[in-house]
Amino acid sequence: MEGMHIVPDVPVPLAPAVPPTPPIPLSALLAREDLALRRIAGPAGPDTAIHWAHTSEMADPYPYLLGGELLLTAGVHVTPADATGAYFDTYVSRVAAAGGAAIGFGLAPVHDTVPPALVAACEAHGLPLLEVPPQTTFSGVARAVWQLMAQARLAELRRVTEAQQRLAAAASRPHPVPSVLRQLAQRLSGWGVLYGPDGTAIASAGRAPHETARQALAHLTDVVRPAPTTMASPGTTVRTPPPCPTTPPGAAVRTPPPSATTPQGTTGRTASPTPTTPPGTTGRTHPPSATTPPGTTVRAPSPSPTTPPGTTVRAPSPSPATPPGTTVRAPSPSPATPPGTTGRTPPPSPPAPVGRPIAAAVPVAARPVPVAARPVPVAARPVPSSATDTVAGSHLAAYALGAGQGFVLGVASPHREPGDHTIASVAAVLLSLLTGEHRSGTGAARSSALVRVLLGAPPEEVAPLLGTGRWVVVHARPDTQAADAVAASALGAALGSALVDLTDGVVRVLLPAEREPGPQPGWALGVSTAVGPGDWTTADAQAARALARARATRTALVGHGTRPGLADLLPRDEADAHAQALLAPLGATPALTETLRTWLSLHGSWDRTAVALSVHRNTVRQRIARCAALLGTDLDDPDVRMELWFALRRA
């Protein structure tokens, strides 16, 4: 295997090797007729990728390059005395060492032609050399590079967006797991496979790669699959050597089988036998071979308590190189060993290098051992969330599914394109939901509540399924970009509720009253008062008005007022009747009522009202003038404003 990469869960604060921009092929830049660029040296293959366009007249640009640049120069740094083969060889070697992708040499005003020594140096170092004609400016080349990058990024985003939509649609079909795998294989032009916790392939789709690549992908899933806390059966003692001085804290140390060069007197031990060995089970000692050194003892351990009757446990003959006095024991059979199975020790492994953990002495891929003879893990190891590799011309990737049950998504494709990782990650999220314990008690209750609401049940009947007590409604909008489903779910998780709805860019969250919502970075929140299920509609309207005020005043969180006022001293029926009569002229135009409410709540501010309602300030002026005309009142009078505000609060 070549080029294995493991992505840890914790980000590593390392500087990127190249700028985080989509690369473009050099051939695409050469195809621009408006630039008239010409390749005059270096390889002409399609593998040259440009990540950046940089202009420099430094004699040694190495310290200023990030890698992947098209380095543009007019040769100002080259004097007639320096125009030698040695100078250009040093210059090109430094550019190549910095990771430069190509050199663009501009003709005029310094040089009429590209120096032949520069052409020879680029050929020697395998670095493409472009001739930039006098009519083409370096800024024009840089602009063309950015245009091509923008096109590549747009194409990548479109491809990812379309794939996300198709994968989501596949997840809603009658057989979601095979449908998602088929759609993933289609999008990546490769093979998708879902592995179970035991490593077996549950479902797959697409064109399978070569057998070597399939085996490598199956092995790659072990890298991201969570290890069990322990696999030892009850009553079994697992002994490990003390960690060596270089063992990292928390690293698991496993005991390998005795090697052929085990020092004299070394004992390889297994678990102590228990008195519950099934009758009829035989523990036999293999007869020593003719080459067994004198004094060497060959023993087989007592069978495991769960060894089926009739199982024979044998120890192999010691190696001729086994020193005298060495005790060699075979491991006890696995609890799952079928009757009649012979448990033998694996071939001796080479000795572990001094100063290294024993478990890391031999690469995993280099020591395939039978399942029954694998070391027994005694502690869970930290695992990455994804890993990649390249084997037999296939690009492999493994993604641990978030359900935490050992399911792994494997992907094999003949080529790797920008956006492939994102598409596979979307598929992994969907498969995590499909393979997780989605039928938990809470999920079943929410599903039942939804069904009852759809069938016409009142909120008072549905609410006990979601929880008891009073509720608040939260309306939220992001400060910058529009909200999407992922952002809405994240906000619900931050507030502590899974009851989230995204409609027209507004995220609505139904939250138990005991979970007091707090300000969320990047969001404007409006919170209702705590109400019972019968008043959820009223609370929804309160939260909407509170959000409008929060956005207008640029406040992170605004709650609906709960303090008692003079209006509470009046009988409710009389107050409601007075409010309806006062606002009757505006009843046919809800936009006027909402504009008047917002304008009064913001103390008559035209600009803040326009922001809260997402309209132009002139529209606000026209609506307020229309309200004054219909009501026949002077809205500059504070008594009128107070009375209208009282009526709007009751409406």
Side-chain angles (χ1 to χ4, degrees), residues 9 20 30 67 129 152 162 187 229 284 304 344 358 378 397 408 478 481 546 568 603:
D9 288 326
L30 293 172
L129 176 62
E162 183 182 357
R187 295 291 154 184
T229 302
R284 297 177 182 173
S304 166
R344 295 189 173 94
I358 293 179
V378 295
V408 178
Q481 58 189 10
D568 298 321
H603 309 290

Side-chain angles (χ1 to χ4, degrees), residues 240-244 247 252-257 349-350 352-353 355-362 367:
T240 59
C244 69
T247 303
V253 182
R254 300 187 176 106
T255 306
S349 61
R356 293 181 57 192
I358 293 179
V362 184
R367 49 184 174 92

Side-chain angles (χ1 to χ4, degrees), residues 596 599-600 628 632-645:
L596 180 60
W599 183 72
L600 290 175
T633 56
D634 181 10
L635 295 182
D636 292 332
D637 187 340
D639 291 334
V640 173
R641 290 191 180 188
M642 181 182 66
E643 188 174 6
L644 287 173
W645 181 247

Side-chain angles (χ1 to χ4, degrees), residues 285-292 296 298 314-320 322 328 344-345 348:
T285 302
H286 195 285
S289 67
T291 57
T292 304
T296 301
V298 184
R314 296 191 178 101
S317 301
S319 167
T322 305
V328 182
R344 295 189 173 94
T345 56

Side-chain angles (χ1 to χ4, degrees), residues 460-487:
E460 295 84 350
E461 180 182 331
V462 173
L465 295 173
L466 306 177
T468 58
R470 297 167 68 81
W471 299 79
V472 296
V473 177
V474 179
H475 281 214
R477 272 186 183 271
D479 293 338
T480 53
Q481 58 189 10
D484 55 16
V486 176

Side-chain angles (χ1 to χ4, degrees), residues 214-321:
R214 292 203 300 272
Q215 293 179 358
L217 181 59
H219 169 70
L220 192 64
T221 61
D222 294 333
V223 177
V224 300
R225 181 177 289 109
T229 302
T230 177
M231 291 172 57
S233 57
T236 302
T237 303
V238 181
R239 298 178 183 173
T240 59
C244 69
T246 58
T247 303
V253 182
R254 300 187 176 106
T255 306
S259 68
T261 57
T262 304
Q264 182 174 352
T266 302
T267 302
R269 297 181 180 174
T270 58
S272 303
T274 64
T276 56
T277 305
T281 303
T282 306
R284 297 177 182 173
T285 302
H286 195 285
S289 67
T291 57
T292 304
T296 301
T297 304
V298 184
R299 295 177 184 168
S302 300
S304 166
T306 56
T307 305
T311 302
T312 301
V313 183
R314 296 191 178 101
S317 301
S319 167

